[in-house]
Amino acid sequence: MKDFSRKVVLIIIVVFAQSSLGTNAILLEGHNLGQNGYVKYSNGLLIQWGYNSGSTIQNLRVNLPIAFYNSSYIVTGNVKKASSDSNVYATCPTSLYTTYFYIDRNFASPSGPGTTSGAFFWTAIGRWK
């Protein structure tokens, strides 16, 4: 009976090891953890991020580290500002392409609205396959 129990346990371990429990895991396909980087997953998810030092151009072009599958991705941004700055900022993507996007960086202040030339951080999430 002891040998039979050991065989049953061994069979269960082999079945468990060969089961699909571990085959549906989402794996890392590639990454670049730099200032302008990305993480690419086996299920097709792509997360990219970056920093732009700013520009006086109102509708600024931002190049992506790697291409998205299509232009159906999400972009968010945050303007970097001084702690003494009381303006309210908004970053608005205006056009999305697979390898770059355009973004406006606007502000509102007591003296009126405008376009900021300040630095900003951005994040984009979409598909790579």
Side-chain angles (χ1 to χ4, degrees):
M1 189 67 173
K2 203 181 234 185
D3 289 335
F4 178 74
S5 297
R6 287 183 184 159
K7 288 179 184 177
V8 169
V9 169
L10 183 60
I11 289 170
I12 291 173
I13 290 172
V14 168
V15 169
F16 181 76
Q18 293 180 353
S19 72
S20 64
L21 292 174
T23 59
N24 293 329
I26 299 171
L27 304 173
L28 183 66
E29 288 285 324
H31 68 283
N32 173 351
L33 301 179
Q35 181 171 311
N36 293 332
Y38 65 91
V39 177
K40 200 163 95 165
Y41 295 99
S42 61
N43 67 349
L45 179 65
L46 174 59
I47 303 171
Q48 301 191 64
W49 60 87
Y51 173 79
N52 188 291
S53 59
S55 170
T56 56
I57 298 170
Q58 182 175 0
N59 198 21
L60 183 65
R61 178 179 166 156
V62 176
N63 295 313
L64 296 164
I66 62 173
F68 280 108
Y69 176 77
N70 56 30
S71 60
S72 297
Y73 56 91
I74 298 168
V75 175
T76 61
N78 296 356
V79 172
K80 182 180 178 184
K81 69 177 198 169
S83 60
S84 61
D85 186 349
S86 62
N87 293 338
V88 176
Y89 293 91
T91 54
C92 305
T94 59
S95 300
L96 304 176
Y97 300 91
T98 58
T99 58
Y100 60 93
F101 61 88
Y102 286 95
I103 193 165
D104 279 345
R105 294 113 33 242
N106 304 305
F107 71 88
S109 70
S111 60
T115 299
T116 181
S117 59
F120 66 96
F121 300 92
W122 59 268
T123 305
I125 302 173
R127 295 177 52 195
W128 67 271
K129 68 176 182 177

